Amino acid sequence: MTYITVNNLTVYYEQNGTGENCLILNGSGGDLRFRPNVMDTPLSKSFRVTSYDQRGLGQTSKPGGAYKMSDYADDAAALITELSLGPAFVLGISFGGMVGQELAIRHPDCIKALALFCTSPGGAGGSSYPLHELAQLNPDERARTAIKLNDNRITDDWISNHPEQYEALKVRANRDTYNHEENYLQGHDKQLEARAHHDCWDRLDQIKCPVFLGGGTYDDIAKPSSMKNMASRIQNAQLTFYNGGHLFMTQDPSAFSDVADFFRTQ
């Protein structure tokens, strides 16, 4: 296990691959102990990939007090500096895409090029689905709602007709392996609270690096309309939609190939 101290946090991180540096910012509840994860993507065949458990998550410190999106961006910038990664290619996935926007605005020198998957700008540009509201549901209802939001092709009829596939999705949605750890659930809640206040809409024009936007056609968490809004506001941005839901990159392998090609041309 590899740890580094940044911003008074003990941060757990992993690295693999060779080549130019690529930092991957994980989504809500991201914990590198769950496999497969972002360290298992094809990007490690072309780049030296680094990812880490963000504050409050996984094996990283879970400090008290409220967390802000700026905290997550500052943590990423400090990690890039301490590990001598910058300027790095950065891929932000879902919540990580929100962090990526803040990072590009607050610490532009850290980023060579930015890719944002299944995310949103917040504010008038559109927010991602308020996942914190699912906490009030019982586990089965929460899993069913989350699964349908992840891919709107999954309807009640689909669930009735594909019981085994649905059960496999529900097991993944209800993973609670580490819930017993001290402050584990609190860290998740604090991340969702920060996520609820994400709003880069009025500042997106401050992002000057080249940006690749990838969205899922059937995503009801980070809606295609929000992705289109981001593309209209960010200079040097290109937008591609893929045949999938919120985690389209696991459904359409061309997504990672496209990002690798995009980074290689910058």
Side-chain angles (χ1 to χ4, degrees):
M1 290 192 239
T2 312
Y3 295 88
I4 191 169
T5 300
V6 297
N7 290 351
N8 296 315
L9 296 174
T10 300
V11 175
Y12 174 76
Y13 72 97
E14 294 183 10
Q15 293 180 307
N16 64 21
T18 58
E20 292 191 76
N21 286 305
C22 175
L23 178 68
I24 301 181
L25 302 169
N26 219 331
S28 299
D31 185 330
L32 290 174
R33 289 175 292 188
F34 288 118
R35 297 285 180 174
N37 61 38
V38 295
M39 298 304 297
D40 303 310
T41 75
L43 290 177
S44 61
K45 297 177 181 178
S46 303
F47 304 96
R48 182 171 179 252
V49 172
T50 301
S51 192
Y52 64 102
D53 292 338
Q54 299 184 72
R55 65 169 53 218
L57 302 176
Q59 298 175 85
T60 288
S61 300
K62 302 167 180 62
Y67 301 169
K68 298 179 294 185
M69 292 304 302
S70 57
D71 294 329
Y72 290 97
D74 293 348
D75 293 343
L79 188 79
I80 288 171
T81 298
E82 289 299 316
L83 293 178
S84 300
L85 304 180
F89 297 122
V90 175
L91 167 61
I93 301 174
S94 193
F95 174 83
M98 301 176 192
V99 178
Q101 294 167 58
E102 286 283 352
L103 176 64
I105 293 167
R106 293 173 63 83
H107 304 280
D109 292 343
C110 287
I111 301 181
K112 185 173 183 180
L114 177 65
L116 302 173
F117 277 178
C118 53
T119 192
S120 63
S127 297
S128 290
Y129 186 89
L131 294 179
H132 59 282
E133 295 183 359
L134 300 183
Q136 60 190 301
L137 303 177
N138 68 52
D140 283 346
E141 290 176 319
R142 184 167 59 246
R144 190 182 189 93
T145 302
I147 289 167
K148 292 165 70 175
L149 287 168
N150 266 278
D151 192 325
N152 59 34
R153 293 171 294 185
I154 297 178
T155 62
D156 290 333
D157 285 343
W158 185 95
I159 291 171
S160 296
N161 293 325
H162 302 82
E164 292 184 4
Q165 289 173 257
Y166 175 67
E167 284 303 314
L169 291 171
K170 190 166 74 169
V171 167
R172 184 173 179 83
N174 278 334
R175 289 187 300 193
D176 60 359
T177 309
Y178 304 108
N179 286 8
H180 65 282
E181 294 182 350
E182 185 177 6
N183 295 326
Y184 191 87
L185 294 177
Q186 292 91 329
H188 279 237
D189 290 344
K190 290 178 180 181
Q191 184 194 39
L192 292 180
E193 180 65 21
R195 179 185 182 277
H197 296 287
H198 167 67
D199 185 356
C200 281
W201 176 246
D202 290 333
R203 296 175 289 144
L204 288 179
D205 60 356
Q206 297 177 34
I207 299 177
K208 304 302 183 184
C209 65
V211 179
F212 180 95
L213 300 171
T217 302
Y218 306 103
D219 185 355
D220 270 355
I221 294 179
K223 289 183 176 291
S225 58
S226 295
M227 299 294 302
K228 291 177 182 177
N229 287 340
M230 276 199 297
S232 73
R233 199 141 181 133
I234 299 175
Q235 302 177 43
N236 303 316
Q238 63 183 70
L239 171 63
T240 301
F241 284 108
Y242 295 90
N243 186 36
H246 189 61
L247 298 180
F248 63 85
M249 71 293 302
T250 66
Q251 299 168 301
D252 188 338
S254 67
F256 283 118
S257 297
D258 289 348
V259 167
D261 290 342
F262 171 74
F263 284 157
R264 278 192 289 262
T265 60
Q266 304 308 317

